[in-house]
Amino acid sequence: MPEISKIAIQQKRTDRYNVFLKDVHGKESYAFSVEEDTLIKERLRKGMIIDQIKINQLIRSDNTNKAFNKAIHYLAQRMRSEREVRERLDKAEYDSAQIDVVIERLYKEKLLDEKAFSEAFVLTKKETTMKGPKVIERELREKGIKEADRLYGLSFYTEEQAIDKIVKWINKQQSKQKKLSHQAFKMKLKQQLIQKGFSTDAIQVAMEQSLKRIEVDEEYQACLLQGEKILKRKQRKFTGYDLIQHVKIGLYQKGFPTDLIERFINEKVKTSDESY
């Protein structure tokens, strides 16, 4: 059986050692490398007789240690979920058995903690994005976080905090209302907030707190803007009563109240038909 003929420290990695073996003919060649901990634990030394089964075990154990170190480096960048770590190691072509060993060790050494991950993930998203609880919950699910841990993390994003966040966001959108009816503006905001992951209850409360009914004259300016666009487009096909009806329908679909629509018709639509 081969005999360890030399153990040399690596030049670039002083925590790793190259092991050389000598065959029955006295020929020496590089065999494998191990970490310092493995060297000590296995009591590897010059002159030690070692069989191929033991060599294979040492190589596999060392590869698993490399996978563990890769996982630690990955976790050092930021907190990760178990699924993210598994995917990274799988991409590095470690087999499933080695990955299982690494994951178990990470949990044992408290380097993986999905409850803490969920909490940190929710707090970060809450502070740095305009994402609501529903979208954040979906993202946690996509990362493989179990329901109990997702719910724990989401407990740090209360409905009161969501409402406050929505109110601040709506206040920044107020300048965009000039081109829309009050009703259309509300519907647009609601759709956007639902897409961002906020609950309809939180949206309703926030809107009641922040959206004031705009002045009639201000909304009529929006009605004028939209009405003139519709009128210009419909005049290409219609006249008289038909034109009036199509303009009315267009403005109604945009959420303007009947009194403002009638005001626009009376002021802007020219027709010889006075019976409408």
Side-chain angles (χ1 to χ4, degrees):
M1 287 191 293
E3 173 186 330
I4 296 177
S5 58
K6 183 173 66 174
I7 299 175
I9 190 170
Q10 293 184 354
Q11 291 184 352
K12 294 184 179 180
R13 289 283 306 275
T14 57
D15 60 333
R16 294 187 60 81
Y17 293 80
N18 294 330
V19 179
F20 296 80
L21 298 180
K22 181 171 62 177
D23 61 21
V24 293
H25 304 293
K27 183 179 178 181
E28 182 181 79
S29 61
Y30 167 80
F32 57 91
S33 62
V34 294
E35 294 181 343
E36 186 174 25
D37 289 346
T38 302
L39 186 76
I40 296 171
K41 180 181 177 181
E42 298 294 336
R43 298 180 180 178
L44 300 179
R45 62 194 182 280
K46 182 178 179 180
M48 181 178 179
I49 304 299
I50 187 169
D51 60 25
Q52 190 59 49
I53 294 176
K54 185 63 176 178
I55 292 172
N56 292 340
Q57 289 176 346
L58 290 169
I59 292 173
R60 182 169 181 78
S61 176
D62 188 64
N63 283 336
T64 303
N65 285 336
K66 287 179 181 178
F68 180 76
N69 290 332
K70 188 175 187 68
I72 290 177
H73 179 72
Y74 187 48
L75 289 166
Q77 298 169 19
R78 65 170 175 80
M79 295 182 73
R80 312 278 182 176
S81 67
E82 177 184 326
R83 177 177 292 180
E84 288 177 312
V85 176
R86 284 185 178 277
E87 289 175 348
R88 175 55 66 95
L89 295 179
D90 181 67
K91 188 176 180 180
E93 299 185 345
Y94 291 102
D95 63 47
S96 58
Q98 289 176 313
I99 294 174
D100 286 343
V101 171
V102 170
I103 295 297
E104 182 179 358
R105 184 177 171 186
L106 289 172
Y107 275 119
K108 184 177 180 180
E109 299 188 18
K110 300 189 183 305
L111 296 171
L112 263 183
D113 185 336
E114 301 226 307
K115 180 177 284 189
F117 172 86
S118 182
E119 176 186 346
F121 187 86
V122 172
L123 290 173
T124 299
K125 294 294 181 179
K126 182 180 70 172
E127 296 300 325
T128 62
T129 73
M130 189 53 201
K131 293 180 178 179
K134 291 184 178 180
V135 165
I136 296 174
E137 194 275 339
R138 185 179 70 237
E139 291 179 349
L140 284 170
R141 189 167 61 248
E142 290 170 351
K143 290 181 179 296
I145 304 300
K146 297 185 291 294
E147 182 179 12
D149 293 334
R150 295 200 304 270
L151 292 175
Y152 173 78
L154 288 167
S155 69
F156 293 90
Y157 199 159
T158 66
E159 182 159 306
E160 290 74 17
Q161 291 171 330
I163 291 170
D164 183 60
K165 196 174 187 71
I166 295 171
V167 168
K168 291 177 181 177
W169 181 80
I170 288 177
N171 290 338
K172 293 179 181 179
Q173 308 303 309
Q174 297 282 12
S175 62
K176 301 177 183 178
Q177 187 171 351
K178 295 179 181 179
K179 296 182 180 180
L180 300 172
S181 69
H182 185 70
Q183 185 62 28
F185 182 63
K186 285 176 65 177
M187 289 300 298
K188 180 180 179 181
L189 293 184
K190 186 173 182 180
Q191 290 172 355
Q192 290 178 335
L193 288 165
I194 288 173
Q195 290 173 349
K196 291 177 184 296
F198 293 96
S199 70
T200 53
D201 288 343
I203 294 170
Q204 183 62 35
V205 172
M207 282 188 167
E208 290 173 358
Q209 291 183 10
S210 59
L211 276 181
K212 305 295 185 191
R213 186 70 173 88
I214 60 176
E215 296 295 329
V216 172
D217 288 344
E218 187 178 344
E219 186 166 21
Y220 185 58
Q221 293 305 309
C223 184
L224 274 175
L225 180 66
Q226 297 297 333
E228 288 173 351
K229 289 181 180 178
I230 295 170
L231 179 60
K232 184 177 180 180
R233 190 167 64 251
K234 297 299 182 182
Q235 279 177 330
R236 298 169 187 168
K237 296 183 178 180
F238 306 101
T239 59
Y241 178 81
D242 289 339
L243 174 61
I244 291 170
Q245 291 304 108
H246 279 85
V247 172
K248 283 183 176 181
I249 291 171
L251 287 171
Y252 180 77
Q253 289 175 338
K254 289 186 177 295
F256 292 102
T258 303
D259 58 333
L260 293 187
I261 294 174
E262 291 295 341
R263 180 178 168 184
F264 175 80
I265 295 297
N266 291 332
E267 291 182 6
K268 297 295 181 180
V269 180
K270 306 300 183 182
T271 178
S272 59
D273 186 348
E274 300 294 338
S275 63
Y276 67 86

